[in-house]
Amino acid sequence: MVIKIFKGFIGRVISNIFKNKKKIKLGFYGPPNAGKTSLANRICKDFTGEEIGSVSKVPHETRNVQFKEIEISYKGKTMIFKMVDTPGIATKIDYEEFLKYKLKKKDAKKRAKEATQGVIESIKWLDDMDIVVVVLDSTENPYNQVNITIIGNLVARKIPVLIVANKIDLKKADIKKIEAAFPEYDVVGISARYGHNLEEFYESIFKLSKKI
Amino acid sequence: MARKKRGIGKIEGFSIHFLSYSDIKNLGTTERIKKILNIVLGNNILIFQGRLRPDEETRLIEDTMAMIGHVSNFKGIELAVVPRNNEKSIFGKAREKIANAISGGDLGAITIIGPATIVKEIKKDPKKIELLLNK
């Protein structure tokens, strides 16, 4: 009887600790088509079996902030994250660019309008993040001002940053260029598409979580 | 008739506008952004001494996005900041911070902003900056 009560008490304590465990808001930021949703999908699929959003070759596929709560377990530790997948931040959006992907003019214009609103929404969410993963395409020039602006804002807000160099499976990928551009930050090279090097990514996220 | 020279065609329809830091130093964020966007909307490439604060850069992007679709033929901007040569030593960094605090901004930096209809891309790497124009 005493053992039963003791077991119940322990169970309740553990469950309360778990319930009260802080949810870490983990934001995915970066320019369009860098692979933010692909990475968020990969993580969500690993731990919940479900995806957070659709991906496409057409830029600005994500035009609204998307959320998913997941529990990530790594090397015996478990943390609860609120994943916040944001639309890509850009300084220009031209509907004619979407016509190249065979979208109808009406759809292209609609997409462009939604994309501009998505950029504004992404920026508004910056203040609410606990940790931000800046996803960059490792085949592109990292010195793009959008990347510098995002990281500058995170530093000003004292939000811990992890830079992810995505698409390392591609021949043109150059992680060293990203490391040279942002020498003060940890850069983890991954392939969200094929799930390469996600162990190092999870390790870095858990490490950053301690800084909150 | 002007003879076409190798590689360089006639470029028309825009001008380059220079601003010194003193022109925007005493303006608040809203006025600064308004001034910058007014120059860019007039089909000018703006080059100014110094740089915006990170929050001002995001505000510039937000206001730019809000204008696309509302201002005829406006597709956004191209933006690049050329920072001053970064000081590596602690003493150098401290001296930089003091100088910035006294002047009220990073005067060693140069900011280039152009309308996306004219400026196709500003290619930047640590040592050079290239301004690619739309044909």
Side-chain angles (χ1 to χ4, degrees), chain A residues 28-97:
Chain A
F28 292 82
Y29 275 82
N33 266 27
K36 297 175 290 298
T37 307
S38 296
L39 175 58
N41 277 345
R42 172 66 61 179
I43 300 163
C44 289
K45 258 191 147 181
D46 279 355
F47 293 95
T48 68
E50 290 170 357
E51 294 191 335
I52 195 168
S54 61
V55 293
S56 162
K57 279 184 180 173
V58 188
H60 297 284
E61 177 67 7
T62 306
R63 300 185 294 282
N64 290 104
V65 175
Q66 309 178 122
F67 311 92
K68 200 164 190 70
E69 222 171 270
I70 62 163
E71 216 179 285
I72 299 181
S73 299
Y74 178 75
K75 286 188 178 171
K77 289 176 196 164
T78 302
M79 288 182 112
I80 304 169
F81 289 91
K82 183 177 182 179
M83 311 268 285
V84 186
D85 179 31
T86 67
I89 296 180
T91 57
K92 61 178 179 186
I93 292 169
D94 183 0
Y95 80 89
E96 286 176 357
E97 284 294 313

Side-chain angles (χ1 to χ4, degrees), chain B residues 24-79:
Chain B
I24 57 165
K25 188 183 173 183
N26 295 320
L27 299 178
T29 300
T30 308
E31 286 77 26
R32 258 183 212 194
I33 304 299
K34 202 174 162 189
K35 184 163 189 154
I36 288 168
L37 282 174
N38 276 339
I39 293 169
V40 173
L41 285 170
N43 270 357
N44 300 298
I45 295 174
L46 170 66
I47 299 177
F48 74 87
Q49 184 190 19
R51 64 181 301 169
L52 297 171
R53 292 194 314 266
D55 62 302
E56 289 176 330
E57 282 181 11
T58 44
R59 175 74 186 277
L60 175 66
I61 295 173
E62 283 179 288
D63 288 3
T64 299
M65 289 297 124
M67 280 178 168
I68 296 174
H70 292 99
V71 176
S72 170
N73 205 30
F74 182 65
K75 294 169 178 176
I77 58 168
E78 273 293 330
L79 163 73

